[in-house]
Amino acid sequence: DLGDVFLRIGATSPGDVGGEGTLVAARKLYEQAFQIAQKLAAADATDAQAQRDLSVSYSKLGDVSLRAGQTQEALGHYQKTLEIRQKLAAADPTDVQAQRDLSVSYSKLGDVLRQCGQVTEAIRQYQNGLELFWKLTLVDPTDARAQRNLSVSYQRLGDVHLQSGQVTEALAEYQQGLEIREKLAAAHPTDAQAQRDLYVAYLKLGDVLLRSGQVTEALGQYQKALEVSQKLAAADTTDVQAQRDLSISCGRLGDVLLQSGQKTEAVGQY
């Protein structure tokens, strides 16, 4: 229980949003939580909850290490997390939480491997995570969280494939992610997160279409992104992220209009 307290304090520490001093403070809290979780897990190796708590502690240490730019240290923590969660998921394949935890571990490991430049291995981990997220959507097709996680997995794969120059693969993955997000946004029209996810999907699809020379198609996606970002910015004029998203949408649309020779329209967007 005390370990949970330390984790909560660490998660809400200003260290999660910046500042070297607060990152150090968060790390100390996570390390104290880890020491407790490690002792409890060692005391009873058959206690699934204790093992899960230990995996969470490793994951939190990985998070704070990654935020501090210590990628190799983060990689080690995430690998430890994965080892525990693979065992828990294998012990009970019907445990949805264990399967979800494992899929998240694959995604986090993919993120840090990508930062380390290990693109091929990052893709493999992302694909592992996507497969599990996909299975979770089959367990409960109405689970919006599972659907969103699946869309994020497609986006991650699209990002890393685009980064490595595999434009065709990225295009297919962004399109699959977009299909999911359009359904979620339509089902939850007042959910700002679902709407912003849709905006991001339109923007990323526009980017890859533009990169592949499909200027007209890219223009269409950027216009859709602009429409969504305009609504979000109007809904909350104090939301800095929404205002920034609107600015990005205008800039992207202006760029492609200028590229296609529509200078007057481009100036209007800028």
Side-chain angles (χ1 to χ4, degrees):
D1 291 342
L2 184 57
D4 286 343
V5 172
F6 281 130
L7 283 174
R8 291 193 189 99
I9 296 172
T12 56
S13 165
D16 275 359
V17 294
E20 184 177 350
T22 47
L23 274 176
V24 171
R27 183 190 294 276
K28 288 181 179 178
L29 292 169
Y30 289 143
E31 286 174 345
Q32 290 178 71
F34 170 75
Q35 290 169 6
I36 295 169
Q38 191 175 43
K39 289 178 182 177
L40 292 173
D44 186 357
T46 64
D47 186 337
Q49 185 59 57
Q51 297 300 319
R52 181 179 188 271
D53 290 345
L54 179 59
S55 80
V56 171
S57 286
Y58 272 124
S59 185
K60 291 291 184 181
L61 284 171
D63 292 345
V64 76
S65 295
L66 193 60
R67 292 297 297 270
Q70 300 166 327
T71 52
Q72 289 302 317
E73 188 173 334
L75 182 60
H77 290 311
Y78 287 149
Q79 287 172 329
K80 289 287 188 181
T81 305
L82 181 62
E83 289 171 11
I84 296 170
R85 292 182 174 179
Q86 283 176 324
K87 292 177 183 177
L88 290 173
D92 187 358
T94 65
D95 185 337
V96 173
Q97 183 62 63
Q99 301 300 320
R100 182 178 289 115
D101 287 346
L102 179 57
S103 58
V104 169
S105 286
Y106 282 131
S107 296
K108 286 193 173 188
L109 190 55
D111 287 343
V112 72
L113 284 165
R114 182 184 172 194
Q115 286 196 32
C116 292
Q118 301 181 48
V119 175
T120 301
E121 184 60 23
I123 289 173
R124 189 174 73 86
Q125 298 301 334
Y126 285 147
Q127 288 172 332
N128 287 337
L130 186 145
E131 182 179 347
L132 280 178
F133 281 130
W134 178 74
K135 288 179 180 178
L136 288 171
T137 64
L138 297 181
V139 172
D140 183 2
T142 65
D143 185 344
R145 178 184 178 187
Q147 295 289 337
R148 181 179 188 272
N149 286 339
L150 180 58
S151 78
V152 172
S153 287
Y154 277 123
Q155 180 178 301
R156 279 190 166 104
L157 272 171
D159 289 345
V160 73
H161 275 132
L162 188 61
Q163 177 186 337
S164 59
Q166 298 170 281
V167 178
T168 302
E169 290 83 353
L171 179 59
E173 286 148 0
Y174 284 151
Q175 287 172 329
Q176 288 174 297
L178 174 59
E179 289 176 12
I180 297 170
R181 292 185 176 187
E182 285 181 325
K183 292 177 183 177
L184 289 173
H188 306 280
T190 61
D191 185 332
Q193 182 63 65
Q195 299 303 315
R196 185 173 190 274
D197 285 346
L198 180 59
Y199 152 79
V200 171
Y202 283 137
L203 199 70
K204 285 184 175 289
L205 186 55
D207 288 345
V208 74
L209 285 166
L210 189 61
R211 182 163 170 175
S212 62
Q214 302 179 57
V215 179
T216 302
E217 292 80 359
L219 180 61
Q221 297 303 319
Y222 288 146
Q223 287 172 329
K224 290 179 181 179
L226 177 62
E227 290 171 8
V228 177
S229 61
Q230 284 175 327
K231 291 177 182 177
L232 289 172
D236 185 356
T237 56
T238 65
D239 186 336
V240 176
Q241 182 65 65
Q243 301 301 319
R244 184 179 294 114
D245 288 344
L246 178 56
S247 174
I248 291 171
S249 292
C250 291
R252 287 284 212 292
L253 192 54
D255 288 345
V256 75
L257 284 168
L258 188 62
Q259 184 175 330
S260 59
Q262 303 177 57
K263 295 182 180 180
T264 302
E265 292 82 354
V267 170
Q269 293 303 322
Y270 291 143

